[in-house]
Amino acid sequence: MKAITIVKPGQVEIRDLPKPEIKSDEALLRPLFGGICGSDLNSYRGTNAYMAYPRVPGHEFSAEIVEIGPDVKGFKVGDIVTANPYFNCGHCYSCDHGLVNACMSNQTMGVQREGGFAEYVAMPGSRLIDGKGLAPKILALIEPFCIGYHGIQRAVVKAGDKVLVVGAGTIGVLAAIAAKSRGAEVWICDVAPKKLEYAMRFGLKGTILNTGAEAFDKGWREITDNNGFDVTVECVGLPSTFQNCLDAACFGARVAVIGVGKHNIDLDFTIIQKKELNIYGSRNAMTKDFIELIDVVRSQNLKLDDVITNIYPFDKAAQAFEDFDKNAGSMLKVMIEF
């Protein structure tokens, strides 16, 4: 079979790999659409600390079941599904306490193990999630939507909350949509005007163009009458954007940290004590998040595919990664059509 492969930083090829042979508790999937995640882009750039090359990327996708093992229940050949791509060990302290999304030995598809950007993928039946009739393009967006949704849940966002999402990439925009779907008033912040303009098509309350500390400070103070936001959500992974979230949070606020960073922060941590802030880390998502979100998208008729700015055919995968790398400030969700 053909598989998109990041051979080394900056080099993507389509390689011939053995077609998977499924076990009795697995299904063979034929991917339909797959999204290039920020972690995939970091792998392409050589900045993903968890990557070993070569690697088949991809962990957000929709697929058709083309073969199914006898021990897989509740699914059949021809079903359109997505899958939980975070493989947990099942026996560490986190797993024993039900925190399987934060398994101490987590292996995410496309990062620590081979991903879904191939003609065929073997997947345990326990990880399959029924698409419930969602269009394959939208179904491929459920995984990144889950990342934001899980963080919004962690921060207990509720109707009437004033929420600021820092970072208008795909995860940030989807987190903003998740917060809005719970009845919150949502603003979004970024350094890229085009991304903010794009985010506003989802009915958010407003934006903050973060051209520097002074502009950011003025923006959040004007919006909240100097009080700060009830919830701030970090979706970038930089020390400066985490500091933004602390600064713009009201006293007693909830701060959700979704972004993944590699840099240390020089932090005057007294602000956490002074404001009595509640800080929530948010990692991956649970299978129940996938199931709940599919129902939310269907019941609220959310137009998630509006976050897709570019679609490339399978054989143009190298071009997709190159373009995304060069134009990340204007491209939101980039997809591969298999």
Side-chain angles (χ1 to χ4, degrees):
M1 68 171 186
K2 304 291 185 183
I4 298 166
T5 307
I6 302 177
V7 179
K8 62 181 181 180
Q11 184 176 341
V12 171
E13 297 177 358
I14 295 180
R15 290 189 163 184
D16 289 311
L17 295 178
K19 182 179 176 180
E21 294 184 6
I22 62 170
K23 301 174 183 177
S24 63
D25 62 346
E26 293 180 330
L28 187 66
L29 308 182
R30 181 176 67 85
L32 303 173
F33 285 90
I36 299 178
C37 177
S39 62
D40 296 320
L41 185 57
N42 287 338
S43 298
Y44 176 77
R45 289 170 168 170
T47 59
N48 192 328
Y50 301 108
M51 265 284 291
Y53 301 91
R55 176 69 76 215
V56 176
H59 58 261
E60 46 187 69
F61 57 89
S62 58
E64 178 186 4
I65 297 176
V66 295
E67 185 181 342
I68 197 161
D71 297 332
V72 178
K73 307 302 180 185
F75 296 93
K76 64 183 184 302
V77 170
D79 284 348
I80 306 300
V81 299
T82 187
N84 183 330
Y86 327 116
F87 283 71
N88 61 295
C89 70
H91 53 73
C92 69
Y93 190 86
S94 295
C95 289
D96 285 345
H97 288 76
L99 203 66
V100 296
N101 59 304
C103 169
M104 297 165 71
S105 301
N106 172 75
Q107 290 194 344
T108 298
M109 291 177 66
V111 184
Q112 294 96 341
R113 64 191 295 143
E114 299 292 32
F117 283 8
E119 288 183 309
Y120 297 97
V121 178
M123 184 65 61
S126 60
R127 295 191 163 274
L128 299 178
I129 298 158
D130 184 6
K132 295 185 177 180
L134 286 185
K137 272 196 301 187
I138 294 178
L139 190 57
L141 290 165
I142 292 297
E143 190 277 339
F145 197 11
C146 280
I147 300 297
Y149 179 77
H150 187 75
I152 294 301
Q153 282 192 314
R154 292 277 292 144
V156 200
V157 172
K158 60 186 184 297
D161 279 342
K162 283 185 168 60
V163 176
L164 175 66
V165 177
V166 178
T170 303
I171 299 299
V173 170
L174 291 173
I177 295 171
K180 184 175 181 292
S181 75
R182 296 167 76 99
E185 298 181 343
V186 186
W187 284 258
I188 195 164
C189 170
D190 204 277
V191 299
K194 286 186 178 180
K195 285 191 172 182
L196 293 177
E197 181 181 345
Y198 203 87
M200 282 303 293
R201 69 174 58 191
F202 297 98
L204 308 183
K205 289 287 289 185
T207 65
I208 298 176
L209 178 61
N210 191 356
T211 56
E214 185 176 338
F216 177 77
D217 191 64
K218 180 182 178 182
W220 74 257
R221 289 185 182 279
E222 287 182 352
I223 292 168
T224 66
D225 195 23
N226 290 316
N227 292 318
F229 290 89
D230 301 303
V231 180
T232 59
V233 187
E234 203 291 318
C235 293
V236 181
L238 292 174
S240 59
T241 48
F242 178 59
Q243 186 69 60
N244 289 156
C245 286
L246 299 181
D247 292 341
C250 71
F251 280 60
R254 289 98 71 197
V255 180
V257 181
I258 298 175
V260 179
K262 294 179 64 177
H263 303 285
N264 294 333
I265 182 170
D266 183 7
L267 174 67
D268 180 5
F269 62 85
T270 302
I271 191 173
I272 299 172
Q273 179 269 340
K274 179 182 179 181
K275 288 187 174 182
E276 198 170 74
L277 298 178
N278 304 280
I279 300 179
Y280 299 88
S282 180
R283 184 179 181 188
N284 296 333
M286 301 282 203
T287 294
K288 70 179 184 67
D289 295 325
F290 284 77
I291 296 170
E292 289 174 11
L293 267 189
I294 288 172
D295 288 338
V296 167
V297 172
R298 293 175 72 242
S299 64
Q300 298 190 18
N301 195 29
L302 297 180
K303 304 297 185 183
L304 287 190
D305 51 340
D306 281 350
V307 305
I308 302 171
T309 54
N310 306 82
I311 298 177
Y312 292 78
F314 182 84
D315 61 357
K316 299 296 184 183
Q319 189 67 51
F321 275 90
E322 181 180 345
D323 290 351
F324 197 12
D325 179 40
K326 293 178 179 178
N327 302 287
S330 59
M331 297 169 76
L332 200 56
K333 174 50 62 184
V334 179
M335 277 204 173
I336 304 292
E337 183 172 6
F338 290 82

